[in-house]
Amino acid sequence: MVFAGSGGGSGWANMKSLTLQVLTGRWFMVFASFLIMSAAGATYMFGAYSSEIKSSLGYDQTTLNLLSFFKDLGANVGILSGLINEVTPPWVVLSIGAVLNFFGYFMIWLSVTKRISKPQVWQMCLYICVGANSQTFANTGALVTCVKNFPESRGVVLGLLKGFVGLSGAIITQIYYAVYGNDPNSLILLIGWLPAAISFAFLRTIRIMKVIRQPNELKVFYKFLYMSLGLAGFLMIIIIIEKKGQFSRSGYGGSAAAVLILLFLPLAIVIKEEYDIWKNKNHVMNEVEPPTQLKIITEKPNGELDLSIPPPLPPSSINGAVTTGLPTSQKQQRDDSCFQNVFRPPDRGEDYTILQALFSIDMLVLFFATICGVGGTLTAIDNLGQIGTSLGYPKQSISTFVSLVSIWNYLGRVVAGFVSEIFLTKYKFPRPLMLTLILLLSCVGHLLIAFDVPNGVYIASIIIGFCFGAQWPLLFAIISEVFGLKYYSTLYNFGAVASPIGSYILNVRVTGHLYDKEANKQLIAAGLKRTHGEDLNCNGAECFKLAFIIITAVTVVGALVSVILVLRTRKFYSSDIYKKFKEEVKAADMEMAVSGSGAVLSETRRETKIVGCNKE
């Protein structure tokens, strides 16, 4: 060990130094982001507790889907969190998110458990919108910060972090069974306090740091990936075992403990990597300033030092091109107002202004394709409880559907992030084309639900969960690559607005309306009449058949529209899209080298004076 042979004081100082290195290092910040993201996907668990809200408050399906829409609206309209993040440090964003999360879900819990008087529908919509909006603050505070700290690995970072969001449903479910048992009301309480507590715990950890590209950076992310795959595999096995038999409270406690151990396992990689960085730092410092080494400096006859140090580069010289101040394009943007250059955007990959990005054809095409793709898959996820009930699946299967969606949501995010990065780097395979393929695959899941294939909802949960998860890292990576990182916080959250728009159209206006229409038809056929405050239920394959045929058609249209983006960006993706960041890293390295040369020069002069004094 490093501390072997050191005195007691020195060993303690080294231990403090290493601990500080771990807690303030970039890799610990990534680990903290994993934990925040692993509790930030409570909105995807709506299907697990929506039936409790429906029965407790006496809603029909249209009202429940309206509530679901406001959940999606809050979860994806993160413009406010993006704008706040532009002017404040990440800890402010995370703090606001934690407060919103607790308030929103705590009020829902009070309403469902009848600890307060029955709220109006608009109040419930407000509560769930506020609670779900906390997810955008967690995403902006943690995920956007990580992307800015690792710009050359953004696809991998997005895939991993969004993957943990996808896994959060299955993780929270195991903790919920261990702590509260099978009580859906308590699940609402759990998703109120747990994400808030984790965000508060890591307020000081999540921050913007200087970009330093490590040679083994990608390898470290792959290690994180393997551990997260192990966690996902364990959750999958546990779900299958729980489906086959009944678990006791202690059994759920054991599975939850195993989940937490696997969740914290990446901390070992963090400590190892930060230890290596700390050791290298100490090694360099000892080489530069050895404590007991004598230095003999010789002087030329004219008294000048014999140093072979290249003259520092002019401050405006980068890669041999001498500039005067700002580049021409940036000067022009400074001179013009933000409205005058809205329709004169820079080249793809450069930093667009917010308005330039919002009014570009690329953004509009991407936005429309996302409305169709995410809107359809999210409608299926939010209605899993009612889909399972109407098709005659047992109640335990509904929890299985939610957990399957959660795990495959994770796998979709990870695969889309890592595979798209590999394909892009090695084969110049454009991310928009991968988005097109994902949209087409999701149609298979929609059709399985529409035609009530035997045990088809299990397969549909896997396909839809995978496709829903895969769309997000692709969407956010495309935005960062095409429109730049300068205003990424805001543009990231604007892209997510497509989700509630798609959800409102396909979930509330189409699925909810057609479900209630079929349910009323069944009531009339049975000679019954719905009383005020009674929930409205539908049974049979016809409840969701037409809705999911429409969703399939809309998704196909979205896939065809996304081909436009593929054609428009094919030249951009065939080039080196990370060239800009590589040049910035080179410039930073050159600056450090020049600074280091200056430090050596200063030190040498000081030592020369000492030598001169000794001669006298």
Side-chain angles (χ1 to χ4, degrees):
M1 285 293 292
V2 170
F3 312 127
S6 301
S10 176
W12 175 245
N14 284 337
M15 180 63 78
K16 284 177 65 178
S17 173
L18 177 58
T19 303
L20 188 64
Q21 172 69 40
V22 171
L23 295 179
T24 60
R26 286 201 308 163
W27 294 116
F28 188 75
M29 188 214 63
V30 173
F31 170 72
S33 299
F34 288 162
L35 295 186
I36 291 173
M37 293 292 99
S38 66
T43 52
Y44 305 134
M45 301 184 68
F46 184 74
Y49 60 85
S50 60
S51 296
E52 293 298 316
I53 294 176
K54 187 177 183 180
S55 59
S56 175
L57 301 178
Y59 290 160
D60 59 17
Q61 191 64 29
T62 300
T63 305
L64 187 67
N65 284 4
L66 181 65
L67 205 65
S68 173
F69 160 71
F70 275 95
K71 168 189 70 69
D72 298 331
L73 183 70
N76 293 284
V77 179
I79 303 295
L80 179 61
S81 63
L83 292 174
I84 291 174
N85 195 57
E86 299 286 359
V87 295
T88 63
W91 69 264
V92 175
V93 178
L94 291 173
S95 299
I96 296 172
V99 172
L100 292 178
N101 185 88
F102 181 77
F103 171 78
Y105 286 108
F106 187 65
M107 292 304 296
I108 294 171
W109 177 73
L110 291 176
S111 303
V112 171
T113 55
K114 303 187 186 303
R115 284 175 167 80
I116 58 175
S117 58
K118 180 181 176 180
Q120 299 293 320
V121 173
W122 70 265
Q123 290 175 305
M124 285 295 292
C125 290
L126 177 64
Y127 296 154
I128 201 164
C129 186
V130 168
N133 193 240
S134 66
Q135 181 176 314
T136 68
F137 284 84
N139 280 334
T140 304
L143 188 145
V144 172
T145 302
C146 275
V147 170
K148 289 185 175 181
N149 288 340
F150 297 89
E152 289 188 57
S153 302
R154 70 186 75 179
V156 172
V157 170
L158 282 166
L160 261 177
L161 290 176
K162 296 301 284 185
F164 274 98
V165 175
L167 270 184
S168 61
I171 293 171
I172 293 174
T173 298
Q174 294 302 315
I175 296 173
Y176 149 67
Y177 280 136
V179 176
Y180 295 108
N182 194 9
D183 178 14
N185 291 337
S186 298
L187 174 61
I188 302 172
L189 180 62
L190 177 65
I191 61 181
W193 68 261
L194 182 61
I198 295 174
S199 291
F200 274 125
F202 294 107
L203 288 182
R204 298 294 300 274
T205 305
I206 308 297
R207 65 202 185 282
I208 299 291
M209 304 174 75
K210 186 175 180 180
V211 177
I212 303 172
R213 174 76 178 183
Q214 290 178 221
N216 68 332
E217 186 175 287
L218 196 57
K219 289 183 179 179
V220 177
F221 280 117
Y222 272 109
K223 291 176 183 177
F224 288 140
L225 170 65
Y226 301 145
M227 288 189 171
S228 65
L229 286 171
L231 174 60
F234 177 79
L235 286 168
M236 189 77 175
I237 293 169
I238 282 294
I239 289 169
I240 293 171
I241 294 173
E242 289 173 354
K243 183 179 180 296
K244 295 293 182 182
Q246 293 294 324
F247 259 48
S248 64
R249 189 76 171 268
S250 59
Y252 282 121
S255 66
V259 167
L260 291 176
I261 291 171
L262 290 171
L263 188 59
F264 278 82
L265 205 55
L267 189 57
I269 297 175
V270 170
I271 293 172
K272 178 186 179 301
E273 292 301 322
E274 293 297 345
Y275 169 72
D276 290 341
I277 294 170
W278 175 80
K279 188 169 66 171
N280 289 336
K281 276 184 183 178
N282 285 346
H283 180 68
V284 170
M285 288 175 64
N286 290 335
E287 278 194 343
V288 172
E289 283 186 84
T292 59
Q293 186 178 352
L294 291 173
K295 293 186 180 178
I296 301 173
I297 308 297
T298 60
E299 290 186 282
K300 288 185 177 181
N302 59 5
E304 293 180 358
L305 295 174
D306 186 12
L307 294 172
S308 301
I309 299 171
L313 294 172
S316 59
S317 174
I318 299 174
N319 295 332
V322 179
T323 61
T324 56
L326 291 170
T328 306
S329 60
Q330 292 185 19
K331 275 185 177 179
Q332 188 66 34
Q333 287 181 10
R334 229 179 183 185
D335 295 339
D336 295 342
S337 72
C338 60
F339 292 101
Q340 287 176 322
N341 61 16
V342 166
F343 299 104
R344 288 185 287 141
D347 295 333
R348 291 187 182 92
E350 297 298 323
D351 291 323
Y352 282 54
T353 66
I354 294 173
L355 291 178
Q356 284 173 340
L358 297 187
F359 286 98
S360 71
I361 296 175
D362 292 342
M363 179 64 88
L364 295 177
V365 170
L366 184 61
F367 195 73
F368 180 82
T370 306
I371 287 174
C372 298
V374 173
T377 50
L378 190 57
T379 297
I381 291 169
D382 286 344
N383 286 280
L384 275 176
Q386 287 68 47
I387 291 170
T389 301
S390 66
L391 297 180
Y393 287 86
K395 192 172 182 180
Q396 183 67 24
S397 292
I398 295 171
S399 296
T400 303
F401 297 153
V402 172
S403 294
L404 283 173
V405 164
S406 177
I407 292 169
W408 286 89
N409 182 2
Y410 154 78
L411 289 171
R413 292 166 191 250
V414 168
V415 169
F418 278 83
V419 173
S420 69
E421 191 75 22
I422 293 169
F423 276 37
L424 177 63
T425 305
K426 288 190 175 182
Y427 311 111
K428 304 298 181 185
F429 190 90
R431 285 194 221 267
L433 181 55
M434 188 163 285
L435 178 63
T436 304
L437 298 176
I438 292 295
L439 292 179
L440 293 174
L441 177 61
S442 67
C443 294
V444 178
H446 298 321
L447 291 174
L448 287 172
I449 295 173
F451 294 102
D452 188 22
V453 177
N455 291 318
V457 181
Y458 291 104
I459 302 170
S461 298
I462 292 171
I463 294 173
I464 289 172
F466 180 87
C467 293
F468 177 76
Q471 290 174 73
W472 288 114
L474 291 174
L475 169 67
F476 297 139
I478 291 168
I479 289 174
S480 72
E481 288 159 356
V482 174
F483 305 111
L485 288 175
K486 186 174 183 181
Y487 298 105
Y488 184 54
S489 297
T490 303
L491 297 179
Y492 166 95
N493 285 295
F494 174 79
V497 172
S499 178
I501 294 175
S503 175
Y504 180 76
I505 296 170
L506 297 175
N507 196 4
V508 179
R509 306 306 301 173
V510 175
T511 306
H513 172 71
L514 292 175
Y515 178 97
D516 285 342
K517 185 178 178 180
E518 181 63 27
N520 282 314
K521 189 189 296 183
Q522 291 180 3
L523 273 178
I524 294 170
L528 300 175
K529 189 176 181 181
R530 183 188 176 210
T531 60
H532 180 70
E534 183 185 4
D535 57 328
L536 184 61
N537 293 311
C538 176
N539 295 304
E542 295 298 320
C543 300
F544 288 97
K545 184 175 183 178
L546 180 57
F548 275 88
I549 290 174
I550 294 171
I551 287 171
T552 303
V554 170
T555 305
V556 171
V557 172
L560 294 175
V561 170
S562 69
V563 175
I564 298 173
L565 185 64
V566 175
L567 297 174
R568 286 177 59 85
T569 58
R570 66 187 186 281
K571 184 177 178 182
F572 169 67
Y573 277 103
S574 65
S575 64
D576 185 2
I577 65 171
Y578 294 142
K579 182 180 178 183
K580 171 184 173 182
F581 299 100
K582 291 173 183 174
E583 289 176 350
E584 287 177 357
V585 170
K586 275 185 183 177
D589 290 343
M590 200 176 291
E591 183 183 340
M592 288 177 67
V594 171
S595 301
S597 299
V600 172
L601 178 61
S602 173
E603 179 68 19
T604 308
R605 283 175 177 159
R606 184 180 67 81
E607 289 173 352
T608 305
K609 288 180 182 178
I610 294 172
V611 170
C613 291
N614 289 338
K615 284 180 181 178
E616 291 174 3

